[in-house]
Amino acid sequence: MQRPPVRALLLRRSVLLLLAFMLTILVAPYFAPYDLHSGLVSQTKYQPPSSTHVMGTNTLDVDLFSLVLKGSQVSLIIAASATAISLAIGLAYGMISAMVGGWFETVLMRITDISFSLPRFLILLAVSSIVSEPLSVPQLILLIGMTGWFEVARLTRGEVGSLLTRDWVLAAQATGVSRARLAARHIFPHLVPILAVMATLGIGHVIVLEAGLMFLGAGGPQSSLGSLLQSASGISGWDHWWLVFFPGIAIVLIVLACNALGDALRDVFAPEQVHAWPTT
């Protein structure tokens, strides 16, 4: 049987533009117009957008455009790493619970339901407020990743439970295939489309989550987009509007790009196409 038209996705102009946008964010800090470690780059604090500084300068006379490029890269790295941790934990948790079944599955799913009912943002805010020092990038990635796997586990468990009732899985079990081989060679390929969609949507969600934590002063990396919003929050009035406007627009564009890419992947990996994939 023929695989779903993945190449057709790459040919869509919108997706190409989104991928180009994400790639530009990752590599643009290396081509930033000003060196962020060289100290003062402007003679005037709060310089408005101009031909010299297209996004103006901040309180430390640093070019805001260079800061936004670097902050976008840091926020994307944090979001992608935390989402990868959540997907790995949720995938393993959901597959194990579904394949073992019985009372073991019931207990694991009740734990997931209880954990899923707790507000994630409040948990992150409470933990970050308890620690005496600001969270480092690895600590923030681990904290966000460890609190975002509940939905992944629930969806994985439901999908694996549905796949286990299909004829080709029953046939594989009848031939004596081990559970490990069944999960790796037969079940996991059918979960890849779902994981891809959840990854793209999860990255956008984590970027907003990290920005919210930083804006409330929960601590963390001082070079992310959220830290730029937090540093500008104490400035009153609209005289220095660019300090909030441009980092906020960067967050909105990244989240929209992730959501649009996730929707495009979801359209390509339609359920009727995914279940028609070969399993050998």
Side-chain angles (χ1 to χ4, degrees):
M1 297 183 181
Q2 188 178 4
R3 290 178 179 268
V6 179
R7 293 183 179 180
L9 172 65
L10 300 179
L11 294 177
R12 296 181 180 180
R13 293 182 179 180
S14 59
V15 176
L16 287 176
L17 289 175
L18 294 175
L19 294 177
F21 173 69
M22 305 291 282
L23 181 62
T24 301
I25 290 176
L26 292 175
V27 301
Y30 301 103
F31 303 96
Y34 294 94
D35 185 4
L36 300 178
H37 304 286
S38 61
L40 304 181
V41 298
S42 174
Q43 299 299 322
T44 306
K45 293 182 179 181
Y46 302 119
Q47 181 175 344
S50 61
S51 58
T52 305
H53 304 284
V54 294
M55 292 186 181
T57 60
N58 66 354
T59 57
L60 301 176
D61 303 340
V62 181
D63 181 63
L64 187 60
F65 180 58
S66 301
L67 288 174
V68 169
L69 290 178
K70 180 62 177 179
S72 300
Q73 184 188 53
V74 173
S75 296
L76 269 178
I77 292 175
I78 293 174
S81 302
T83 302
I85 293 176
S86 299
L87 289 177
I89 297 176
L91 175 65
Y93 194 97
M95 289 190 67
I96 291 174
S97 62
M99 298 194 70
V100 174
W103 65 267
F104 185 76
E105 178 185 10
T106 302
V107 172
L108 291 184
M109 287 300 101
R110 295 297 78 78
I111 295 175
T112 303
D113 294 338
I114 295 174
S115 303
F116 192 73
S117 64
L118 301 176
R120 183 183 183 186
F121 184 79
L122 294 182
I123 295 176
L124 295 173
L125 188 61
V127 173
S128 59
S129 301
I130 292 174
V131 296
S132 57
E133 298 181 356
L135 297 174
S136 63
V137 173
Q139 290 173 338
L140 186 62
I141 291 174
L142 185 62
L143 180 60
I144 295 177
M146 293 290 291
T147 56
W149 57 269
F150 312 120
E151 184 177 1
V152 179
R154 178 185 291 181
L155 292 177
T156 301
R157 178 256 182 185
E159 184 66 17
V160 173
S162 175
L163 293 174
L164 288 175
T165 61
R166 297 186 175 274
D167 294 338
W168 48 267
V169 174
L170 299 177
Q173 291 176 330
T175 59
V177 175
S178 64
R179 288 186 176 180
R181 183 177 177 83
L182 181 66
R185 296 295 300 273
H186 298 272
I187 301 296
F188 178 73
H190 289 264
L191 300 178
V192 172
I194 298 177
L195 295 177
V197 174
M198 295 190 66
T200 53
L201 299 178
I203 289 175
H205 178 70
V206 172
I207 287 178
V208 176
L209 196 63
E210 184 270 338
L213 290 174
M214 290 298 302
F215 183 77
L216 294 178
Q222 298 302 313
S223 55
S224 66
L225 292 175
S227 66
L228 296 180
L229 290 177
Q230 195 278 334
S231 61
S233 61
I235 303 174
S236 59
W238 291 95
D239 295 336
H240 310 108
W241 56 268
W242 58 90
L243 298 178
V244 177
F245 177 77
F246 290 112
I249 286 296
I251 293 175
V252 171
L253 291 178
I254 295 175
V255 174
L256 287 177
C258 292
N259 291 341
L261 184 58
D263 292 339
L265 289 174
R266 183 166 50 192
D267 292 339
V268 171
F269 296 127
E272 61 273 9
Q273 293 175 323
V274 173
H275 293 305
W277 285 21
T279 58
T280 56

